[in-house]
Amino acid sequence: MKKTLIALAVLAASGVAMAQSSVTLYGVADMVLHKDKNSPAKLTSGGVSTSRWGIKGEEDLGGGLKAGFLFEQGIKLDNGAAGPGFDRQTYLSLSGGFGEVKLGKIWTAYDDIGGATDAAFNANVLGPVALIFQSQYAYTANPNNGIYYATPSFGGFSGAVSTNLREGVANNRVAAFHVKYEGGPLFVALGYQDDEPNNEKYTRLGASYDFGRFKLLGTYGRVKNADVDEWSIGADVPVASNLVLSVGYAQSKQDGFKAERGWSLAAAYALSKRTTAYAGYFDANAAAVTGRAGAPDSRFGVGLKHTF
């Protein structure tokens, strides 16, 4: 009888522990068919969001304290290739009333606000900002050996800082921060990153305001050593409960060179809570910023995105 009672007690304790823990498999499958001017049509994985899969978990430690982990790997749906290991993120975290601390391979605090105020749903393949802001998107996004801290929200205000350990490798420090405000229809965010691997300093300011019938979007970026200024403006217009149109214009200008400009018109149709069909058109001048290829003259694409 004693052994039976002990076994039942162990099972009960195990059940409580399981109830306080969770492990989730998640991911994004996104594919777009697009055609550039004077080029053959092609399939590209990640038209709006990078295709990926991951595992995340959380344990309630009591008193508002939680431990967590996340492993995430990029996948190319067009050829089946996967990133080398969990190439996007791998970290342990501890969160509570003080905010959240993460240790591992983590998106920088600067990367956190990237795309938040970009038109055309921040689409990788069709968005004006993603295609024109090449200098602004050249930063180191998820360095190894990272340390990250995010504050809780104080009346809509919050922030985060991140850095990484050199671990014997010279000049590989990536230090960043962001501050933002989210309250009602207004969103404003400022980010900065000192990126030693690229010998560059990045600054980004984004804002949006939801007027109800449409949301106005704007972004400004400065890449200091390359002497590049980049800005965009756009709007998201809901025309039905499951259909949103988005239009945007972006410009990148390096000192001493001709500006590169482009605009996009895109539509997203929600087939369900997890599946969205989208289409878009991008058009640009063909000027190339020094040291990199210019954006395509024009591009049309249709795609499908599913989350799980």
Side-chain angles (χ1 to χ4, degrees):
M1 179 63 73
K2 258 187 181 180
K3 288 182 180 179
T4 302
L5 289 173
I6 291 170
L8 288 171
V10 169
L11 285 172
S14 175
V16 171
M18 290 294 289
Q20 293 175 341
S21 303
S22 66
V23 176
T24 303
L25 175 69
Y26 70 93
V28 176
D30 187 335
M31 183 78 86
V32 61
L33 172 64
H34 62 92
K35 172 76 168 62
D36 293 358
K37 184 179 179 181
N38 301 322
S39 298
K42 64 182 295 186
L43 281 172
T44 298
S45 179
V48 172
S49 302
T50 302
S51 297
R52 73 201 80 149
W53 79 281
I55 303 170
K56 59 184 177 180
E58 186 176 79
E59 181 184 13
D60 190 340
L61 302 175
L65 196 63
K66 294 180 180 180
F69 73 91
L70 186 145
F71 309 145
E72 187 174 277
Q73 181 182 45
I75 298 176
K76 291 187 177 295
L77 299 187
D78 50 327
N79 60 20
F86 291 101
D87 57 324
R88 288 174 59 83
Q89 293 192 91
T90 52
Y91 65 76
L92 283 168
S93 66
L94 192 66
S95 62
F98 58 88
E100 183 176 26
V101 175
K102 300 177 184 178
L103 302 173
K105 187 176 181 66
I106 314 153
W107 301 121
T108 68
Y110 179 81
D111 184 81
D112 281 348
I113 67 166
T117 56
D118 296 349
F121 319 113
N122 187 33
N124 296 328
V125 172
L126 298 167
V129 174
L131 291 169
I132 297 296
F133 275 30
Q134 296 299 316
S135 296
Q136 188 65 209
Y137 278 105
Y139 61 88
T140 303
N142 53 349
N144 298 331
N145 312 309
I147 301 172
Y148 176 104
Y149 169 68
T151 73
S153 179
F154 301 98
F157 289 94
S158 62
V161 294
S162 64
T163 187
N164 67 311
L165 302 180
R166 297 182 188 277
E167 302 225 350
V169 180
N171 301 320
N172 72 337
R173 179 66 53 78
V174 180
F177 76 87
H178 78 247
V179 290
K180 63 182 179 181
Y181 173 78
E182 296 177 272
L186 178 64
F187 172 85
V188 181
L190 172 67
Y192 174 83
Q193 181 158 309
D194 187 348
D195 198 317
E196 288 185 0
N198 290 328
N199 186 31
E200 192 54 90
K201 294 175 173 61
Y202 302 89
T203 304
R204 187 177 177 98
L205 176 65
S208 66
Y209 193 91
D210 193 341
F211 290 91
R213 293 189 177 183
F214 69 95
K215 180 187 285 188
L216 187 63
L217 311 164
T219 302
Y220 169 77
R222 171 72 179 164
V223 186
K224 183 179 180 181
N225 295 340
D227 204 7
V228 176
D229 289 283
E230 300 176 313
W231 61 270
S232 74
I233 189 169
D236 291 343
V237 184
V239 295
S241 60
N242 59 346
L243 177 62
V244 178
L245 297 181
S246 185
V247 62
Y249 175 90
Q251 174 179 297
S252 178
K253 176 70 169 67
Q254 184 171 30
D255 189 40
F257 294 86
K258 187 177 179 181
E260 186 167 346
R261 305 179 180 92
W263 63 272
S264 291
L265 175 64
Y269 183 82
L271 300 170
S272 70
K273 287 184 178 180
R274 296 188 299 169
T275 304
T276 301
Y278 60 88
Y281 175 78
F282 170 81
D283 189 84
N285 69 346
V289 173
T290 182
R292 68 177 177 86
D297 287 349
S298 64
R299 172 177 290 173
F300 173 77
V302 292
L304 188 68
K305 174 183 173 180
H306 175 76
T307 62
F308 63 89

